[in-house]
Amino acid sequence: MFKYLAGGIRRPIIRQFPLCSSLVRRNHTLEYEGLHPLLVQKAEKLVKEHDDLAEDISSGEHGFDTGKATKLARLSAVVERFNNYKKAQQEFEELKALLDDPSLKGEAESEIEEAKSTLETMAEVLQNQLVPTNPFIDKACMLELRPGVGGSEAMIFANDLLNMYKNYALKNGWPHKVLSISTTPTGNGLTEAIFSIDHPGSYERLQYEGGVHRVQRVPETESKGRVHTSTAAVVVLPQMNESSENMEEAEREFAPGEVRMDLMRSRGAGGQHVNTTDSAVRLTHIPTGIVVAMQDERSQHKNRAKAYMVLRARIAEKERIEKEEEERKKRTDQVTTTNRSDKIRTYNYSQNRITDHRCGFTAYKLEEIMSGEKFDEVVDAMDSFAKTEAMKQLLYDEK
């Protein structure tokens, strides 16, 4: 019989029974090192920050502050998990003390093994909460794709990447749509595209896709069978508002005069409607110089809404990157980053191989990855690498 303690660890209700030698384990299997001391130090700082913030809010001196309340709720979840972890760790030590009693050693050893496993799981979850994460991980996302070097082959590759992300969204059942696209005359390549995945949390899964993607393959137009190298650029943006149709809300985010809007006539396909109305919209954010143009919709209202949606996303991502760079400059030692670096990944078609140069992931299943079926393997490898690097940086910062 057992009783349950904090953290889900089961502890035996002590009873006498003969020692069973078959249950004896080597001592090293009963050891548990626990969280890294610097992580414990980080958690204890958060506990103090939580307590100070809770006292400040309860005093009511500064009135109700939504930002403080949200921060307190976030800290409360971490503090509760840390307190449960400490209780479970204490109970683990109490179980180990039972090893000194020959009549309880056998049962204690079997319980310690299970308790150790539970502690390791709790520590892993807590560790992930202590490591800083991207502030937009719960957001839906947008991907901007453009061809790089390589001419028409680069345009075809950019379209292949767009199809890969479409396939991945379909595999996961995520709602998605192409917000804007400019294709080549043949239709098999693109010069620019903005792809929206309207599923909360999709940004977390695709946040590391930003950067230069490189392809090595024999183009269909190559008569001598030579391998060509081309590139395409991907930018990943968080969706900052729930709907691209909510234009009024998007516009209210900006101060008067902060955004200049120009109306133009649409160019390209569109039948009789083309060049008859000023439906195309171009927004210029004066403080940053960011420009967004949208003309895919026949309605000026819809183009305007989409443009504001993209503008907000670009500004938010720019501010996030600038903040990270500012924090990084304060450090004397730098850990490898997962920001958009040059040539983040290579797609080698002749070898059916895909390689991510940041985390060292390599797989000989290019077709399955491009179809979306095995794309999670690439995402998981990069996610694991990013968390490891974030942990290194956290440990450095806590020194």
Side-chain angles (χ1 to χ4, degrees):
M1 296 179 64
F2 304 91
K3 64 178 180 179
Y4 285 84
L5 302 176
I9 293 181
R10 295 189 304 169
R11 180 172 177 176
I13 294 179
I14 298 177
R15 56 187 174 84
Q16 299 292 326
F17 62 93
L19 176 63
C20 178
S21 60
S22 64
L23 293 178
V24 174
R25 301 286 189 271
R26 295 183 181 274
N27 286 336
H28 69 81
T29 64
L30 304 179
E31 296 299 322
Y32 173 69
E33 295 181 357
L35 278 175
H36 192 286
L38 290 177
L39 284 181
V40 173
Q41 187 178 15
K42 171 73 174 179
E44 289 173 344
K45 286 182 179 179
L46 292 179
V47 171
K48 185 178 186 306
E49 184 179 355
H50 168 272
D51 294 345
D52 291 343
L53 186 58
E55 183 178 352
D56 179 48
I57 292 176
S58 63
S59 68
E61 293 181 3
H62 305 96
F64 181 76
D65 188 312
T66 303
K68 289 183 178 180
T70 301
K71 184 176 182 180
L72 180 64
R74 179 178 59 81
L75 287 174
S76 296
V78 179
V79 169
E80 181 181 6
R81 193 174 296 278
F82 179 58
N83 288 335
N84 286 339
Y85 170 80
K86 289 196 299 182
K87 290 178 182 177
Q89 191 173 37
Q90 180 181 353
E91 290 156 4
F92 176 74
E93 295 299 324
E94 292 175 2
L95 280 173
K96 287 173 62 177
L98 297 178
L99 296 174
D100 296 332
D101 188 335
S103 64
L104 300 174
K105 186 174 182 180
E107 185 173 353
E109 285 181 337
S110 63
E111 285 298 305
I112 287 174
E113 287 294 338
E114 184 176 350
K116 176 187 171 186
S117 176
T118 301
L119 262 179
E120 289 172 344
T121 300
M122 294 177 70
E124 182 179 356
V125 174
L126 182 58
Q127 173 179 296
N128 290 336
Q129 285 189 298
L130 293 173
V131 175
T133 59
N134 190 305
F136 304 134
I137 58 174
D138 61 335
K139 300 287 188 181
C141 72
M142 290 183 286
L143 296 96
E144 297 185 354
L145 301 97
R146 296 179 183 85
V149 297
S152 59
E153 176 63 16
M155 297 178 187
I156 294 173
F157 178 51
N159 194 55
D160 292 340
L161 290 177
L162 175 60
N163 289 329
M164 178 179 73
Y165 297 128
K166 284 182 180 179
N167 292 334
Y168 185 58
L170 282 169
K171 173 181 175 291
N172 287 289
W174 293 342
H176 58 278
K177 57 182 175 289
V178 176
L179 291 180
S180 174
I181 188 168
S182 299
T183 59
T184 58
T186 57
N188 62 344
L190 60 84
T191 57
E192 184 179 20
I194 301 178
F195 179 58
S196 170
I197 300 180
D198 306 319
H199 177 80
S202 58
Y203 181 91
E204 179 180 14
R205 293 299 287 166
L206 296 173
Q207 61 181 310
Y208 303 117
E209 290 302 297
V212 178
H213 297 241
R214 179 174 62 180
V215 63
Q216 295 174 326
R217 63 184 174 190
V218 180
E220 295 180 2
T221 56
E222 172 57 54
S223 58
K224 297 183 180 180
R226 293 174 296 189
V227 174
H228 287 225
T229 299
S230 305
T231 63
V234 177
V235 177
V236 184
L237 303 171
Q239 289 194 34
M240 301 309 294
N241 55 303
E242 296 180 357
S243 172
S244 61
E245 305 299 324
N246 196 348
M247 180 184 66
E248 289 76 13
E249 178 185 338
E251 290 191 51
R252 283 196 296 269
E253 293 290 326
F254 300 97
E258 187 177 354
V259 178
R260 185 181 73 241
M261 182 174 65
D262 299 309
L263 302 179
M264 306 165 291
R265 293 196 174 182
S266 298
R267 301 186 302 273
Q272 295 180 348
H273 182 78
V274 174
N275 294 326
T276 62
T277 61
D278 294 332
S279 60
V281 175
R282 181 175 63 209
L283 301 179
T284 303
H285 187 241
I286 305 301
T288 63
I290 295 175
V291 178
V292 177
M294 196 68 61
Q295 65 169 14
D296 285 51
E297 299 289 345
R298 293 188 174 186
S299 162
Q300 180 194 116
H301 182 90
K302 290 184 178 180
N303 281 329
R304 194 171 165 186
K306 284 184 177 181
Y308 268 107
M309 177 183 180
V310 175
L311 179 61
R312 291 184 64 196
R314 287 183 182 176
I315 293 172
E317 184 69 2
K318 182 177 185 296
E319 290 175 348
R320 181 189 69 82
I321 293 174
E322 287 177 347
K323 183 178 179 181
E324 285 187 357
E325 290 296 331
E326 183 179 351
E327 292 175 351
R328 194 172 297 117
K329 287 178 182 178
K330 298 177 183 177
R331 302 170 183 140
T332 57
D333 183 26
Q334 295 184 15
V335 178
T336 305
T337 68
T338 52
N339 286 336
R340 293 173 294 171
S341 56
D342 190 33
K343 295 183 181 64
I344 64 168
R345 194 176 297 151
T346 294
Y347 305 72
N348 189 308
Y349 276 75
S350 60
Q351 298 179 13
N352 192 34
R353 172 174 54 82
I354 185 169
T355 301
D356 194 297
H357 304 295
R358 298 163 296 180
C359 62
F361 172 83
T362 297
Y364 292 87
K365 52 182 77 173
L366 180 56
E367 291 184 7
E368 295 95 323
I369 289 172
M370 296 297 289
S371 70
E373 288 301 313
K374 300 291 185 179
F375 187 72
D376 270 322
E377 294 185 19
V378 185
V379 175
D380 291 340
M382 190 58 213
D383 183 62
S384 177
F385 170 77
K387 287 178 179 177
T388 300
E389 296 302 315
M391 176 62 66
K392 290 180 184 178
Q393 190 59 66
L394 176 63
L395 296 179
Y396 173 79
D397 291 343
E398 292 298 318
K399 286 181 180 179

